[in-house]
Amino acid sequence: AQSQAVGDTSNGFFYPATLVTNVNHTMDLMREETFGPVIPVMPFDNLDEAVNLANDSCLALTSSVFTSSSKTGTFLAKRIEAGVTTINDHLYT
């Protein structure tokens, strides 16, 4: 999914917010820092696998957990090794 530009984008400084699916943990998009409004989404089988995948990174300044359960969000946030973990939100700089 992608957002659509509003206004003049002829200067080339616009990249649409992009959601990427059908990714796996071997892809650079999942393992390297992206400098743009791109978010990959990957399924997992259980919470332990999700935490292991999240922690399998040399990058860990921020992380985000998205869930309908605040209990699950808190459980995951406590186990993810990152400087800051937000629940159902993302830290913007």
Side-chain angles (χ1 to χ4, degrees):
Q2 288 186 326
S3 61
Q4 299 298 314
V6 176
D8 181 18
T9 60
S10 61
N11 60 15
F13 298 126
F14 176 79
Y15 187 84
T18 304
L19 176 75
V20 183
T21 58
N22 296 320
V23 297
N24 65 61
H25 197 60
T26 65
M27 296 176 171
D28 286 346
L29 183 60
M30 293 298 291
R31 303 191 56 80
E32 300 293 330
E33 188 174 11
T34 56
F35 292 94
V38 177
I39 187 163
V41 178
M42 187 177 107
F44 51 89
D45 291 326
N46 55 59
L47 296 180
D48 287 333
E49 180 187 16
V51 169
N52 289 335
L53 289 168
N55 288 338
D56 183 25
S57 173
C58 63
L59 308 167
L61 187 57
T62 66
S63 65
S64 300
V65 173
F66 292 90
T67 177
S68 60
S69 166
S70 60
K71 182 178 178 181
T72 300
T74 301
F75 171 79
L76 291 171
K78 288 179 178 180
R79 295 180 63 201
I80 293 174
E81 299 166 359
V84 173
T85 298
T86 59
I87 301 171
N88 295 333
D89 201 357
H90 187 68
L91 182 64
Y92 296 96
T93 59

